[in-house]
Structures are given as structure tokens and as C-alpha cells.
Amino acid sequence: MGYGSGELIIRSYNAQNDRVRVEGLENICEVGPADKPFLFTDTLGDPICRIKNSPIYNMLVAELGGQLVGIIQGTIKLVTLHKPPKNVAKVGYILGLRVAPAYRRQGVGSRLVTKLEEWFVACDVDYTYMATEKDNEASYTLFVNKLGYVKFRTPAILVNPVNHHRSSQISSKFKLTKLKIEEAESLYRKYLSSIEFFPIDIGNILRNKLSLGTWVSYPKGETWGKVPTSWAMLSVWNSGELFKLRLGNVPISCFMYTKSSQLIQKFLPCFKLPSVPDFFNPFGFYFIYGVYGEGPLYGKLVKSLCNFVHNMASSKSKDCKVIVTEIGGNDTRSKLHIPHRKSMSCSEDLWCIKSLKNEDRMSVHKLTIMPPTRALFVDPREV
């Protein structure tokens, strides 16, 4: 496609020359749908903050006539993926595609994706995938209709606001224990290594400074040394240390209600009104990952763990306003018991996948029709 301002140049991101311009592009792309609220992302001056903890990563920028008009990011890792004859695949994840409003629908986005795919191929990637909201028509049209991606999984994103004035109840019938990193890694490899998108380098994730720890819950009177009759586990990632979020396009009535409820909560706590966090200023969040467990009490146990994480966020981080958990779309057992606010959550996100190798073209079709495992591992490094 021709461009009136000259040739479109796509190259790797250079922090020294591009950082300020990328931030400027992010700002002008902060325009969401006119009919509903949306989230802004504040990268805290580091455009690659969302990918730099991944094993291999890259960021590309698009220039036209010396002006930066688009960006895209990608990461590479080894994961469990059920594809005969082997169950491990090298996958590339696409995120952070941005095109300046004045240059949209001119092929800039597709050129960026294609160039990133070329980098994936050079790195011997088997599959590439991306995530988007199911009602994002522009993204769906680009990736599925134009670039050959197919619908793969529909995970649920559960969002629970943090109440800094009230603790969540934790049942006295259960015991909570923080695991050592080596114990957590061993447990994950034993029980989750066969689920979809389980990262082979799980140890690196658990040892990352952003990972706050792994906890298990089980009935009191039983010991962890011997596998309990029921148990649950999860890990916590402090995403707020990397970037902040801010809510935009909110009705003035919602803004006024938030401010008034906070004042009442502060000066008249006896009214016990539901707390409404301040989402209008930049805020951080905790991401819960690696949720799993077994036994008839699993639901109650995982709820106790989530309440513990809420209380930890409430007491240790004034900046943390929400706790986010992403689980497999068919993991109804977890969804039923993980605390979340329905109005803030997404019951059906969309993952799309594409094979980058000719011999794997048919296996993509098999992957999409294969019933998903109950659990789905969502890498906190890619949130």
C-alpha cells in the first residue's frame, strides 16, 4: 500500500531515540469507545515494561516521513500445548499494537503484525497468538479476517475491587501456608505441567521480584506434608510495580458517587456503604495466577486464599485498587468461588492463534476443536 508521506519503515525500538515518541503515541491512542468506560495504561516512562520480564521479547516501531505512527510488541517462550507428536511448543505472543488515529485503515497495523511474525519465524516459533476483547471488531477483523488467525480459547477475566477500609473474612476452618519457591515450582510441575500454556520456565516466574509468593490452603487438622483431602493454591504478581491503570470516559454521576461514598466511608463508617475505589487516578493491581486445587472443599479453600490476597493488598499497598484473576472459560468451579464484581469483569475474553509452520497448519484446526483443559495458565508476565 502506498503512503502519501513516503515509505513506511518498520524497525526495532530504540529506547534512547524512541521512548518519548512512543509515550506520545500511547497518549493519542488513549481514545476508547464513546459509549462505555475504558482503561488507560500508564507505563511509568518505560514502554517495554509489559514485556521485559519475558524470556525473549521485541518491540517494533513504524515510521512514516520521520514520524512515529505505530508500535507493536512480542514475546517468545516454551509452553505446554497439546500438539502431536510432542506436547511442547515455542509460542509468540502479540500485544501492544497501536496505530496513530490519522494513519489507521492504511495497512500500518497489518504491516507491523507481519514484521513481528517474521521475527517469530526467524526465532523458530511454532505458533503465534493474541488476546483481545470479544467485541473489539477492529482487532478481530485484522487478525482473523485478514491475517489468518483462528479463535482458540475464551478465558474469563475476574476483577475484584480492594476495600482499604474493611477486611475480607477468612474461614477459621482452613489453614493458609506460604510455600518456598522450590516447593511451589515442584507443585506446579506435578499438577499443572499438562495444562494449556503452562510455561516451561515456571521457576523464573516464581523467582521474579514481582511474584509476591505462592500460598496453599487446606482444612485444619490435616498436614501439608501428606496431601490433604482438599486443597487449593495460587500465586500473586504485583503488576502495579510495572505500570498503572486509570479509568476513562466515566459518567460524571459515577465520579460524584465515588467521591461522596469515599467521604461517607471516611467520616461516617457506621453507615457501612459499599466501598468504591478511586479509579480516576492511576492505580496498581495484583494479578492472581496459577490457580488450582483438588477435593470437595476446593471452592471454599480458593475463596479463602483470594480473601487473604485481598487483605494483603488492603494492608500492604495503598496503591493497589483491584485484584485480577484470569482463568479458563470452562473453569466454572473456580469462577463460582473467586470473588469478583460482575460489572467490572469480562466473562469471555478472546484468544486467537495461528501456525507459523506449514507442517503445523492442520494441527491448529485440531487445537481449536479439541476440548480445552479445565485450567488455563495465564502468564503474569504478559498481562
Side-chain angles (χ1 to χ4, degrees), residues 29-40 132-138 246-252 254 280 342-349:
C29 288
E30 285 185 346
V31 180
D35 58 342
K36 60 182 180 180
F38 54 94
L39 286 173
F40 294 146
T132 186
E133 300 88 352
K134 68 173 184 177
D135 55 354
N136 188 331
E137 294 182 6
R246 176 169 56 86
L247 197 62
N249 198 29
V250 179
I252 187 64
C254 181
F280 307 103
K342 188 174 181 180
S343 61
M344 301 174 66
S345 302
C346 174
S347 61
E348 190 175 307
D349 201 28

Side-chain angles (χ1 to χ4, degrees), residues 215-283:
W215 287 264
V216 293
S217 179
Y218 51 94
K220 280 189 176 179
E222 300 188 37
T223 60
W224 183 246
K226 182 180 180 182
V227 179
T229 54
S230 293
W231 59 278
M233 68 181 298
L234 56 74
S235 298
V236 184
W237 184 272
N238 187 6
S239 298
E241 286 293 312
L242 287 178
F243 61 93
K244 306 296 182 186
L245 300 174
R246 176 169 56 86
L247 197 62
N249 198 29
V250 179
I252 187 64
S253 58
C254 181
F255 177 80
M256 295 302 296
Y257 175 74
T258 299
K259 295 302 181 183
S260 60
S261 68
Q262 289 173 344
L263 288 173
I264 293 174
Q265 183 76 33
K266 181 177 180 180
F267 295 107
L268 298 170
C270 57
F271 280 91
K272 296 183 179 180
L273 289 179
S275 175
V276 181
D278 179 7
F279 295 128
F280 307 103
N281 294 308
F283 61 90

Side-chain angles (χ1 to χ4, degrees), residues 16-58:
Q16 184 175 353
N17 298 328
D18 300 327
R19 183 181 61 79
V20 174
R21 295 197 298 165
V22 168
E23 288 181 343
L25 178 62
E26 291 275 8
N27 289 334
I28 65 173
C29 288
E30 285 185 346
V31 180
D35 58 342
K36 60 182 180 180
F38 54 94
L39 286 173
F40 294 146
T41 300
D42 181 353
T43 61
L44 305 178
D46 184 6
I48 62 169
C49 65
R50 293 180 62 193
I51 60 175
K52 66 182 183 180
N53 285 288
S54 295
I56 305 173
Y57 60 89
N58 193 9

Side-chain angles (χ1 to χ4, degrees), residues 37 47 51 54 64 75 86 109 172 210 221 228 236 252 260 273 285 308 311 337 349 351 357 368:
I51 60 175
S54 295
L64 192 57
T75 65
K86 57 182 181 178
S172 59
L210 297 175
V236 184
I252 187 64
S260 60
L273 289 179
F285 67 100
F308 167 78
N311 295 345
H337 293 94
D349 201 28
W351 285 17
K357 294 182 177 179
T368 58

Side-chain angles (χ1 to χ4, degrees), residues 50 93 129-133 153-160 195 235 285-292 306 323-329 331 334-335 338-340 345-351 374-380 382-383:
R50 293 180 62 193
Y93 179 56
Y129 71 107
M130 49 76 70
T132 186
E133 300 88 352
R153 295 291 179 254
T154 53
I157 301 175
L158 310 179
V159 181
N160 188 34
I195 71 168
S235 298
F285 67 100
Y286 284 176
F287 183 77
I288 293 177
Y289 68 98
V291 180
Y292 188 76
C306 290
I323 297 168
V324 180
T325 311
E326 190 166 3
I327 59 174
D331 190 0
S334 295
K335 184 178 180 181
I338 293 176
H340 64 282
S345 302
C346 174
S347 61
E348 190 175 307
D349 201 28
L350 178 62
W351 285 17
R374 179 178 66 82
L376 176 70
F377 198 100
V378 180
D379 194 326
E382 298 175 350
V383 174

Side-chain angles (χ1 to χ4, degrees), residues 26 38 63 82 87 119 158 193 228 244 262 309 367 372 381:
E26 291 275 8
F38 54 94
E63 284 184 319
H82 302 292
N87 289 327
W119 176 67
L158 310 179
S193 62
K244 306 296 182 186
Q262 289 173 344
V309 175
L367 284 172
R381 298 171 297 189

